[in-house]
Amino acid sequence: MASESDHHHRFSENYMVLRPKDVSLYELICVLWNNEIEKKAFVDYPQGKEENLQQRRRIFFSLLSQKIFQSVAKPLSCFGSAFEMWLNLISSNPNIFNLFFNALRGKVVMPVKESERFMSTLGHIDKRVHLDKNIRPGDYRYYASLSAMASKLAFENRAFVQNVLQKYWKMELIEHNHFWNDFQRKHTTEAIMFHDKNAETDIVVVAFRGTEPFDADAWCTDFDISWYELNGIGKVHGGFMKALGLLMYKGWPKNVEQEDGSRPIAYYTIREKLKEIMLKNDRTEFILSGHSMGGALAILFVGVLAMHEESDLLKRLEGVYTFGQPRVGDYEFKTFMKTQLVTYGFKYLRFVYCNDVVPRCPTDGSNFLFKHFGTCIYYDSCYNGKMVREEPYKNYLSAFAPISRFVNAVWELLRSFLIPYMKGPEYVEGVFLKLIRLYGLIFPGMAAHNPQDYVNITRLGSESLYLQLQHQHFRSTSDFESIKKDEYPYF
């Protein structure tokens, strides 16, 4: 029987793969003292590549985090299901006071899972389902605003998604899929695809689901610093590759026959569906989007398309819009993707809200792998936006950063009560989100990762910033060779 190392050799000659299931507590502690880690079963790398193990502290933290999540996976999932049901029970009645009143009368309205009214936990943080009526097709902000809402909608069940698209957005659902992870041997990845015929250009939107709060597998993927190196592309986050569709025995072949309909692979299924749609109308373009890990899958999808030289599809890509996206690959991958941006002229806007910790992960130290690229649109807690090369405090290493994060978290809690009066009733924040703001006083980086703020920044961001973005993108596609790197934030 082939070992896991044999599987790596089939598609990558250089890699560093962690296996937290194979590490004991004693071995985990020994990692910090460099106790012959290269001989341990919980880390895999090619013979002669011991330099891949240099970041011992990060390896320790990654293994420890994954070990903790694996140990609580089942109770975390059960708690999440119960908590989600409780939130829907309250909203179905339609608040906690009515729930108790209905219970006394024996008329409690019970929520039905997988129905068009049943919302995810993240959906209860921000219950908005309408698109901003002030941002119409043709507006420079339209695609970013639509992508933010699509990234939020990707967390919901099929019936809910279809109802929102038909009733509120007047759009057509194409796919709502649970995709197979060949390494975890389960369905771990979700994405939605829908058709927006309201836009000036006929557009198809693909939104990848991000990390759900009670999904231990997804958290393990986020905290995993394993990587694989692909020829001509660079080193890429192993967990994201597996979630998108890396095959255990084959790697990334250009074409795969998916005979088992019960185990669709995200990359190949979405790619073939896009090809089918693009053939029907030569004016149709598509957008890729996602929140958190979903954003990482969105930009990695482009990287694999480029690796397979799918130029016909890449020419039809309008843009990639990500929200709170973690880093995906190393400097070589960054360089490879910059070439695709210039060659095919699509937008890549990476939105970062304030102190969100996820875009700062995995850390970008002087000897570490992962690097951001593309245009970072950074917004502070007053929703003032600017284009920057990298988000402020990119690794949270500043001595004063903890103080400023705490002060900012206090303001965000206060703003939660004030924002309806400042910006309008559609920005009302419920009790659940206020509790998250309160939690943010202790862990501000995680509280700042919620979808509400990412929807807000696309709606409240100044139009002048988007005009500037449009101008920069025009310059990049028309005369990119004359642009200096310090003048153009896409590079």
Side-chain angles (χ1 to χ4, degrees), residues 130-132 135 140-151 169 321 323 351 454-455 458-459 466:
H130 293 86
L131 298 176
D132 191 329
I135 303 178
Y140 292 126
R141 299 173 293 171
Y142 180 72
Y143 288 145
S145 181
L146 175 63
S147 295
M149 287 296 288
S151 298
W169 299 8
Y321 302 84
F323 307 90
F351 290 85
Y454 280 100
V455 172
T458 59
R459 298 185 177 198
Y466 286 87

Side-chain angles (χ1 to χ4, degrees), residues 262-330:
S262 65
R263 295 181 177 182
I265 306 297
Y267 168 74
Y268 297 101
T269 303
I270 294 171
R271 186 190 69 180
E272 294 312 304
K273 192 64 180 179
L274 286 172
K275 285 183 176 181
E276 178 186 325
I277 295 170
M278 299 301 139
L279 283 174
K280 293 178 181 178
N281 187 341
D282 59 9
R283 292 185 63 253
T284 303
E285 295 181 344
F286 69 100
I287 282 173
L288 298 167
S289 64
H291 173 267
S292 189
M293 180 175 67
L297 298 182
I299 192 60
L300 182 55
F301 184 89
V302 179
V304 183
L305 284 179
M307 180 178 71
H308 290 156
E309 299 180 334
E310 296 284 358
S311 58
D312 288 343
L313 265 186
L314 288 169
K315 289 174 183 175
R316 308 285 282 277
L317 175 58
E318 191 282 335
V320 182
Y321 302 84
T322 70
F323 307 90
Q325 173 212 313
R327 298 181 176 103
V328 176
D330 69 348

Side-chain angles (χ1 to χ4, degrees), residues 155-406:
F155 288 95
E156 307 302 333
N157 67 68
R158 182 184 181 90
F160 188 97
V161 170
Q162 188 154 11
N163 182 59
V164 169
L165 288 173
Q166 292 179 349
K167 184 176 180 180
Y168 301 104
W169 299 8
K170 310 302 178 187
M171 300 177 193
E172 174 191 350
L173 177 64
I174 300 170
E175 294 279 354
H176 183 289
N177 256 325
H178 299 253
F179 296 106
W180 182 253
N181 186 318
D182 207 31
F183 286 77
Q184 294 188 14
R185 309 306 296 171
K186 61 176 74 172
H187 296 82
T188 65
T189 306
E190 292 187 25
I192 61 173
M193 183 187 300
F194 60 89
H195 208 152
D196 177 10
K197 297 181 180 179
N198 303 314
E200 287 186 345
T201 300
D202 194 49
I203 203 85
V204 171
V205 179
V206 178
F208 291 91
R209 186 196 68 177
T211 303
E212 290 186 313
F214 303 108
D215 185 346
D217 289 329
W219 284 109
C220 284
T221 295
D222 290 337
F223 279 92
D224 188 2
I225 61 170
S226 301
W227 52 265
Y228 298 97
E229 184 170 11
L230 302 176
N231 289 334
I233 295 177
K235 298 169 184 174
V236 183
H237 190 289
F240 299 150
M241 291 175 69
K242 295 170 185 177
L244 185 60
L246 183 71
L247 300 175
M248 183 177 289
Y249 297 101
K250 299 178 181 178
W252 286 114
K254 183 167 184 177
N255 296 299
V256 168
E257 290 293 331
Q258 297 194 73
E259 298 177 356
D260 188 351
S262 65
R263 295 181 177 182
I265 306 297
Y267 168 74
Y268 297 101
T269 303
I270 294 171
R271 186 190 69 180
E272 294 312 304
K273 192 64 180 179
L274 286 172
K275 285 183 176 181
E276 178 186 325
I277 295 170
M278 299 301 139
L279 283 174
K280 293 178 181 178
N281 187 341
D282 59 9
R283 292 185 63 253
T284 303
E285 295 181 344
F286 69 100
I287 282 173
L288 298 167
S289 64
H291 173 267
S292 189
M293 180 175 67
L297 298 182
I299 192 60
L300 182 55
F301 184 89
V302 179
V304 183
L305 284 179
M307 180 178 71
H308 290 156
E309 299 180 334
E310 296 284 358
S311 58
D312 288 343
L313 265 186
L314 288 169
K315 289 174 183 175
R316 308 285 282 277
L317 175 58
E318 191 282 335
V320 182
Y321 302 84
T322 70
F323 307 90
Q325 173 212 313
R327 298 181 176 103
V328 176
D330 69 348
Y331 187 83
E332 186 180 355
F333 179 72
K334 171 180 177 177
T335 303
F336 174 79
M337 293 303 295
K338 283 180 179 180
T339 303
Q340 312 313 314
L341 285 166
V342 170
T343 302
Y344 297 104
F346 59 87
K347 300 186 190 76
Y348 173 34
L349 304 184
R350 186 169 51 80
F351 290 85
V352 175
Y353 169 72
C354 201
N355 291 320
D356 185 353
V357 67
V358 176
R360 280 93 176 176
C361 297
T363 54
D364 178 23
S366 58
N367 297 317
F368 206 49
L369 295 172
F370 300 98
K371 311 292 179 184
H372 270 314
F373 58 95
T375 302
C376 177
I377 315 299
Y378 173 80
Y379 285 83
D380 63 22
S381 58
C382 293
Y383 300 125
N384 296 314
K386 60 182 178 180
M387 288 186 289
V388 295
R389 287 191 177 280
E390 186 62 86
E391 52 274 6
Y393 306 127
K394 68 176 183 176
N395 291 319
Y396 278 177
L397 298 179
S398 167
F400 298 101
I403 298 173
S404 66
R405 288 199 295 271
F406 176 78

